[in-house]
Amino acid sequence: MGGARVSDAPEADEEWHPIAREWFTSLGQSGQSQFYEASDWATARVWAHLLSLTLESGRPSAQMIQSWSSGATELLTTEGARRRARVELEQAPEVDPAEAAKVAKMSAYRKAAESG
């Protein structure tokens, strides 16, 4: 039974503290977000909101920061959390655009030769 995928990250709330907005936005730019379901994004919104309130208070509590850190870990936001969950993200190799064009052209030639 597959869950509904959220293909794009939701927008960060403009009223959040800048650091909370930056953290939330970074989730959508991070590799682990490919695994996020709607409930993960909802959880991230709650944590971003609570982080914002904590940062805006001027007196962040150590307990709240620890709770946020635990919540962020569940979203696999750190390399350590991903390792513990055995999730490995690989960077796509950088491809020279000129080389990619040559490969695409050769592939087109091969297809034409095979069909014709």
Side-chain angles (χ1 to χ4, degrees):
M1 177 188 265
R5 287 274 304 139
V6 176
S7 58
D8 294 320
E11 291 292 319
D13 190 322
E14 288 298 318
E15 294 185 18
W16 288 339
H17 187 281
I19 293 172
R21 273 196 323 270
E22 180 182 359
W23 175 76
F24 185 83
T25 300
S26 75
L27 293 177
Q29 299 167 347
S30 298
Q32 77 274 5
S33 68
Q34 68 183 310
F35 303 111
Y36 285 4
E37 299 286 341
S39 58
D40 298 306
W41 284 116
T43 299
R45 287 188 69 76
V46 169
W47 283 119
H49 179 74
L50 292 173
L51 177 61
S52 180
L53 293 174
T54 299
L55 293 169
E56 289 170 353
S57 75
R59 295 176 20 158
S61 84
Q63 184 177 7
M64 183 57 212
I65 295 298
Q66 177 58 44
S67 295
W68 173 83
S69 179
S70 294
T73 296
E74 288 190 16
L75 291 168
L76 304 175
T77 61
T78 65
E79 184 176 353
R82 290 188 293 274
R83 283 184 184 187
R84 285 187 292 281
R86 294 190 169 104
V87 172
E88 186 172 335
L89 302 176
E90 294 183 11
Q91 296 291 331
E94 290 191 28
V95 178
D96 176 24
E99 188 62 32
K102 288 179 193 175
V103 170
K105 197 174 212 179
M106 289 303 296
S107 179
Y109 288 146
R110 276 193 203 107
K111 283 183 183 177
E114 290 171 1
S115 67

